[in-house]
Amino acid sequence: MLNEIKKDAESRMGKSIEALKHNLIKLRTGRANTAIVDHIKVDYYGSEMPLSQVASVAIGDARSIIITPWEKQMVGPVEKAILASNLGLTPNTAGTVIRLNIPALTEERRRDLTKVLHSEGEDAKVAIRNIRRDANQQVKELLKEKQLAEDEASRGEADIQKLTDASISDVDEVVKVKEAELMSV
């Protein structure tokens, strides 16, 4: 019973860290990354399709993304989708190739992104603490129903706290790595 609670808490904390990593991919760092355009949906003959299903997306150089639609008539809709996505990037079209130039980040923009980064990290920590609270609540309920002894319950809560501490340090590490990436010129 106690092991199930710990395994559940551990997997949920791991998912919180993965969600944080996924959210941080979208933070623009001044370097080209195809993940920046992953969420863009393109109107493809009346239905919304992910950009990756109507065009090839590649990195041209350190500061540009090259998008090549598979059908010539899709160049216009892809451009419209990029402009509507609020990425702050303007597509440059040459024939059937669309190029997105990623501008260098200003110092002020880096600071703003760092604030967003720390906010995302704090949200992940709150989620992890909520998972800890839920797991501890389950342990207390088992203790109340006399399915666990006092010492087992306190040992279980200590183990859950160790999981929480490890997960929070993982979040701090992810945030630290992304912050270093943001601040590198």
Side-chain angles (χ1 to χ4, degrees):
M1 208 47 121
L2 194 59
N3 283 336
E4 292 171 18
I5 293 171
K6 285 191 272 189
K7 284 180 185 170
D8 178 54
E10 187 173 15
S11 77
R12 287 173 57 199
M13 287 178 188
K15 288 177 187 171
S16 293
I17 293 168
E18 288 305 311
L20 171 68
K21 288 177 182 174
H22 182 73
N23 288 344
L24 295 185
I25 286 174
K26 294 176 188 157
L27 276 184
R28 232 175 54 206
T29 58
R31 264 190 243 118
N33 184 347
T34 57
I36 293 172
V37 295
D38 279 350
H39 69 283
I40 296 177
K41 302 274 190 236
V42 179
D43 182 36
Y44 185 72
Y45 300 113
S47 61
E48 295 286 309
M49 300 289 286
L51 179 61
S52 59
Q53 291 184 11
V54 297
S56 69
V57 180
I59 295 175
D61 56 54
R63 296 209 185 269
S64 68
I65 298 173
I66 296 173
I67 301 167
T68 311
W70 290 315
E71 296 177 29
K72 193 172 187 171
Q73 66 268 26
M74 288 307 296
V75 173
V78 168
E79 280 182 314
K80 283 182 189 169
I82 292 167
L83 289 170
S85 69
N86 293 330
L87 281 177
L89 300 174
T90 306
N92 300 326
T93 307
T96 60
V97 177
I98 300 168
R99 182 180 295 272
L100 294 177
N101 291 318
I102 314 281
L105 295 174
T106 63
E107 190 62 34
E108 182 182 346
R109 182 71 179 132
R110 288 177 199 272
R111 283 198 195 96
D112 291 345
L113 287 174
T114 303
K115 287 177 188 169
V116 171
L117 170 67
H118 286 287
S119 169
E120 290 280 345
E122 197 53 46
D123 290 347
K125 288 179 189 178
V126 167
I128 288 169
R129 290 182 192 118
N130 287 340
I131 293 165
R132 174 189 63 192
R133 185 196 63 221
D134 293 345
N136 283 340
Q137 192 65 40
Q138 289 174 329
V139 169
K140 285 178 181 152
E141 285 174 14
L142 288 176
L143 180 64
K144 198 161 76 176
E145 295 168 4
K146 305 244 187 268
Q147 292 181 5
L148 276 182
E150 285 278 337
D151 59 336
E152 285 179 317
S154 60
R155 194 175 326 115
E157 287 178 357
D159 289 348
I160 291 167
Q161 184 59 45
K162 285 178 189 167
L163 280 175
T164 303
D165 293 343
S167 295
I168 285 180
S169 69
D170 289 349
V171 167
D172 287 337
E173 187 61 33
V174 168
V175 168
K176 191 172 111 184
V177 167
K178 188 68 175 185
E179 186 175 10
E181 188 180 316
L182 272 174
M183 287 304 177
S184 68
V185 178

